[in-house]
Amino acid sequence: AKTAMDSFVMAYNEVIKQLREATAYNASTKQASVLTGDSGARSLQTALREMIGYSRSTVGSSFATMSDLGVALQRDGSLVFTSSKFDAAMSSSTSNVGDLLSSTSTTSSGLAVRMTASLDGILSSTGLLASRTEGIGRSITDVGRQRETLSRRLVQVEARYRKQFTALDSLVA
């Protein structure tokens, strides 16, 4: 369980790092990154923070948050895992830790269940990222069509100007 929790924290931190790099703005070079200002990236960051900050109240359990299990959110948005706190929680009550992480009862759901549902909503084929990708694809297609239309118009304008110039040249001659 400790190894799984540690792996989760490392994976989460890698995602946060990738999102930070993809959305960063370099003020010294005045260069925006690929997803600077993108609402989809911001939504994903917000959803991840909400998942980590989720608090669940359960009667008879002293564990309500990831922090109770040794997973704490740092200022930069990354997580830090304190294994001694996790060990203390596990030695106190493995069933309460298990309930916090994976309960699937109808009255409440565990953190893992909530995280899975939230990530499915973002990463599924009909989720946030798929719809953003589809929208960007449509925009690229539209820009391609606009370029083709503009190119055809430019050819027509050039032909008209050549015809007018030839007529004017003949008139002057």
Side-chain angles (χ1 to χ4, degrees):
K2 188 184 335 183
T3 302
M5 191 66 79
D6 192 44
S7 295
F8 167 77
V9 168
M10 288 191 304
Y12 181 94
N13 287 342
E14 184 59 30
V15 168
I16 292 300
K17 177 184 169 199
Q18 293 293 326
L19 278 170
R20 192 177 309 119
E21 289 172 2
T23 59
Y25 176 78
N26 187 332
S28 62
T29 63
K30 297 185 190 294
Q31 289 287 6
S33 57
V34 176
L35 297 176
T36 298
D38 182 72
S39 63
R42 283 193 313 271
S43 295
L44 180 56
Q45 288 171 320
T46 300
L48 290 171
R49 275 193 300 271
E50 286 174 355
M51 285 187 285
I52 296 303
Y54 173 71
S55 178
R56 181 181 99 137
S57 60
T58 306
V59 178
S61 176
S62 58
F63 308 120
T65 65
M66 293 287 282
S67 179
D68 294 334
L69 304 180
V71 177
L73 190 61
Q74 296 181 335
R75 263 198 148 157
D76 65 354
S78 65
L79 297 178
V80 64
F81 178 55
T82 308
S83 61
S84 59
K85 193 169 183 179
F86 183 76
D87 291 339
M90 288 295 282
S91 65
S92 169
S93 174
T94 56
S95 64
N96 284 342
V97 171
D99 285 346
L100 174 63
L101 293 175
S102 63
S103 173
T104 57
S105 71
T106 56
T107 57
S108 64
S109 60
L111 293 172
V113 174
R114 290 181 60 85
M115 285 180 185
T116 300
S118 182
L119 288 174
D120 282 348
I122 294 168
L123 301 174
S124 73
S125 61
T126 58
L128 173 70
L129 291 182
S131 66
R132 292 287 300 147
T133 302
E134 184 181 320
I136 290 169
R138 278 194 308 269
S139 295
I140 290 170
T141 302
D142 289 345
V143 167
R145 285 187 199 130
Q146 290 171 359
R147 286 181 66 192
E148 289 173 6
T149 302
L150 181 59
S151 181
R152 282 193 302 271
R153 281 185 50 211
L154 287 174
V155 167
Q156 292 170 348
V157 167
E158 180 185 2
R160 188 177 78 226
Y161 285 163
R162 284 188 187 277
K163 184 178 177 184
Q164 289 173 347
F165 179 76
T166 303
L168 182 62
D169 192 38
S170 296
L171 183 65
V172 170

